[in-house]
């Protein structure tokens, strides 16, 4: 008989510090819940259910899609498994359904952290060995996450990162229509019906994709990659979702090397989650990057690369 305590999300790691509380899944090392004074900042899913629409998951070693799963790397043609068969794409890397292990943790009062580790061995179309860590830390500023990779193999490895949290005001399905969205991005990337870019990026000015100044999402449907991010003096780009009545909300902060952000309004999710939040997905490279080479990192043997992002209450 199956163990009733087993969950498809694996063991749960709870962090509490100040007014914040976070829950991270052992499977995929993805963020399952984050709240501030009891107010949800990301869309939460039940522990007995897999993350809807990839909620909170880490997308490694590439985010988004690779057309036909095919790419060429240093003179070698490669074929990834088609993990999005309906569209004939490889999607969101390999690690989101793998069990990560806790390698360090500290439950302080003013700050608390947990660090996960995973050794990714060669997969179909990706003959590399990566040592990965995911470090989650809570303090008075909110949640800060660092995703790091070290190439443990003998050859340079292509690499990109994405993360898939859904920001929310906590009001249920359809509630983001009234929310104000601010995205400090100058350009967006058109795609075809397989969600593969069709050409060069385009300016957001005078389009429905322009959220450089906060405005209501309304009926806008987004599954759109943005770049050309404007950063504040601290080097961070900030995407904000706020309540028009009292200004409370949530912001996601993108650190250095995260030059793309995918926005998804959740229109195809199950009814309980549909437009209950908006996926704000930090990415180091655009969709189909393994095929085009755009912003793909070549990690040399023994080299380490780290990316950081954060989420906090407004």
């Amino acid at each position: 008989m199956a163990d009733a305590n087993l969950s498809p999300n694996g063991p749960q790691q709870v962090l509490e510090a100040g007014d914040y509380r976070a829950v991270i899944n052992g499977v995929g090392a993805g963020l399952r819940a984050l709240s501030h004074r009891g107010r949800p900042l990301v869309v939460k899913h039940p522990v007995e259910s897999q993350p809807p629409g990839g909620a909170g998951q880490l997308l490694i070693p590439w985010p988004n899609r690779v057309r036909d799963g095919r790419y060429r790397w240093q003179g070698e043609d490669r074929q990834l498994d088609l993990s999005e068969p309906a569209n004939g794409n490889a999607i969101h890397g390999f690690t989101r359904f793998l069990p990560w292990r806790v390698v360090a943790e500290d439950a302080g009062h003013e700050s608390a952290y947990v660090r996960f580790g995973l050794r990714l061995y060669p997969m179909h179309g990706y003959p590399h060995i990566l040592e990965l860590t995911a470090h989650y830390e809570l303090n008075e500023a909110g949640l800060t996450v660092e995703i790091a990779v070290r190439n443990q193999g003998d050859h340079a490895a292509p690499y990109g990162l994405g993360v898939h949290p859904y920001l929310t005001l906590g009001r249920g399905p359809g509630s983001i229509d009234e929310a104000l969205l601010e995205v400090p991005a100058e350009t967006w990337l058109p795609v075809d019906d397989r969600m593969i870019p069709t050409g060069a990026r385009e300016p957001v000015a005078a389009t429905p994709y322009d959220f450089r100044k906060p405005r209501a999402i309304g009926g806008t449907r987004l599954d759109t990659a943005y770049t050309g991010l404007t950063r504040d003096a601290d080097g961070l780009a900030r995407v904000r979702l706020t309540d028009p009545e009292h200004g409370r909300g949530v912001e996601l902060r993108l650190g250095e090397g995260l030059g793309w952000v995918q926005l998804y309004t959740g229109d195809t999710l199950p009814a309980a989650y549909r437009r209950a939040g908006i996926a704000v997905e930090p990415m180091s490279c655009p969709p189909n990057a393994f095929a085009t080479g755009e912003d793909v990192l070549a990690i040399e043997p023994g080299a380490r690369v780290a990316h950081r992002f954060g989420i906090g209450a407004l």
Side-chain angles (χ1 to χ4, degrees):
M1 180 178 293
D3 187 341
N5 294 318
L6 287 178
S7 159
N9 296 294
Q12 302 292 286
Q13 298 295 319
V14 178
L15 295 179
E16 294 181 314
D19 294 324
Y20 285 93
R21 185 177 190 271
V23 183
I24 302 100
N25 292 326
V27 172
L31 181 65
R32 190 172 73 83
L34 177 65
S35 60
H36 177 258
R37 297 178 182 174
R39 173 167 61 96
L41 303 181
V42 301
V43 174
K44 179 182 177 180
H45 61 277
V47 70
E48 64 271 14
S49 303
Q50 287 187 311
Q57 293 181 325
L58 307 182
L59 317 177
I60 303 171
W62 77 88
N64 220 288
R65 296 159 174 86
V66 180
R67 183 184 179 93
D68 300 321
R70 296 174 186 165
Y71 71 105
R72 187 172 180 82
W73 180 251
Q74 299 188 337
E76 178 185 9
D77 290 323
R78 296 180 174 181
Q79 177 66 60
L80 302 164
D81 289 343
L82 301 183
S83 46
E84 189 185 43
N87 288 326
N89 299 318
I91 189 170
H92 290 340
F94 302 118
T95 68
R96 55 195 183 126
F97 298 115
L98 296 180
W100 295 57
R101 68 190 186 282
V102 173
V103 296
E105 57 183 321
D106 181 42
H109 176 68
E110 295 185 356
S111 67
Y113 74 82
V114 61
R115 185 180 307 126
F116 295 85
L118 174 71
R119 179 170 293 165
L120 180 66
Y121 286 99
M123 307 288 278
H124 290 170
Y126 195 83
H128 304 283
I129 301 175
L130 304 181
E131 198 72 42
L132 302 164
T133 58
H135 182 95
Y136 289 83
E137 184 165 354
L138 271 185
N139 57 32
E140 62 182 9
L143 178 69
T144 301
V145 186
E146 179 185 88
I147 311 300
V149 56
R150 187 181 299 278
N151 183 357
Q152 299 288 67
D154 298 326
H155 304 283
Y159 179 80
L161 170 70
V163 190
H164 213 296
Y166 286 75
L167 305 188
T168 188
L169 301 179
R171 295 183 174 179
S175 61
I176 64 164
D177 293 18
E178 299 176 359
L180 303 181
L181 176 64
E182 181 180 359
V183 185
E186 297 292 330
T187 57
W188 67 286
L189 196 59
V191 295
D192 62 18
D193 58 0
R194 295 171 63 184
M195 301 304 297
I196 300 297
T198 57
R201 62 194 75 172
E202 296 186 2
V204 299
T207 76
Y209 305 108
D210 189 355
F211 289 92
R212 289 174 295 175
K213 294 183 178 180
R215 66 179 178 88
I217 295 173
T220 305
R221 296 168 65 98
L222 297 174
D223 197 349
T224 308
Y226 289 84
T227 192
L229 302 180
T230 300
R231 296 180 181 271
D232 296 332
D234 58 6
L236 302 177
R238 289 171 164 84
V239 177
R240 295 185 173 100
L241 188 73
T242 55
D243 187 315
E245 293 183 10
H246 49 62
R248 291 194 308 177
V250 55
E251 73 172 12
L252 186 143
R253 305 178 285 267
L254 297 95
E256 182 180 356
L258 296 173
W260 295 82
V261 61
Q262 182 91 9
L263 278 294
Y264 170 53
T265 44
D267 301 277
T268 61
L269 295 181
Y273 303 99
R274 195 169 302 148
R275 298 180 73 88
I278 181 168
V280 179
E281 308 168 29
M283 302 189 301
S284 63
C285 56
N288 206 33
F290 268 25
T292 65
E294 185 173 8
D295 289 342
V296 173
L297 298 176
I299 304 181
E300 297 295 330
R304 180 182 184 271
V305 172
H307 294 95
R308 297 175 183 84
F309 73 97
I311 303 175
L314 296 172

